[in-house]
Amino acid sequence: MNVLVKDPIAWTDVGAVTDIPLRGARRVPTPSGDIAIFRTGDGKVFALKDACPHKGGPLSQGIVHGHAVACPLHNWSIDLASGEPMGADRGKGCTPVVPLEVRDGRLLLGRS
């Protein structure tokens, strides 16, 4: 028997892609905590919980470089696609990745 399964993700429009500058970020408050949405120099977008896995630094205030962000507290580089620390800090925790889609130039933040 085939059963129609609904998409388990609820999507919320949080603004236009162009609201975030290239190599910039935006903090979005949610009931489950702040989310940081990043836009890289090549225009890709990523969403992570807005807390470094090291000491909880606000990643939305960090510097975006390539497809990573440098935590403003202790300069840990966090991979935007995986939430994993890079370099010497690899394997020392992870920042949760949040589902994010772009539809018609709008950023849609997902939650299960």
Side-chain angles (χ1 to χ4, degrees):
M1 176 165 101
N2 290 333
V3 177
L4 179 63
V5 178
K6 292 176 74 177
D7 183 354
I9 297 178
W11 297 100
T12 302
D13 186 319
V14 293
V17 172
T18 55
D19 290 343
I20 303 174
L22 293 175
R23 291 175 296 283
R26 178 178 171 206
R27 183 183 58 82
V28 177
T30 73
S32 57
D34 291 342
I35 304 299
I37 301 177
F38 303 92
R39 188 168 172 215
T40 62
D42 61 3
K44 294 186 180 186
V45 291
F46 300 90
L48 299 173
K49 181 178 177 190
D50 192 20
C52 178
H54 176 227
K55 298 277 184 175
L59 295 176
S60 61
Q61 295 178 26
I63 296 172
V64 176
H65 54 96
H67 286 186
V69 62
C71 176
L73 294 184
H74 300 102
N75 207 32
W76 276 32
S77 283
I78 307 297
D79 182 275
L80 294 174
S82 68
E84 293 282 341
M86 300 168 68
D89 300 313
R90 183 177 305 275
K92 295 181 180 177
C94 184
T95 298
V97 174
V98 178
L100 180 70
E101 286 191 9
V102 177
R103 292 186 200 154
D104 298 323
R106 303 294 296 175
L107 293 164
L108 301 176
L109 195 60
R111 69 176 169 77
S112 301

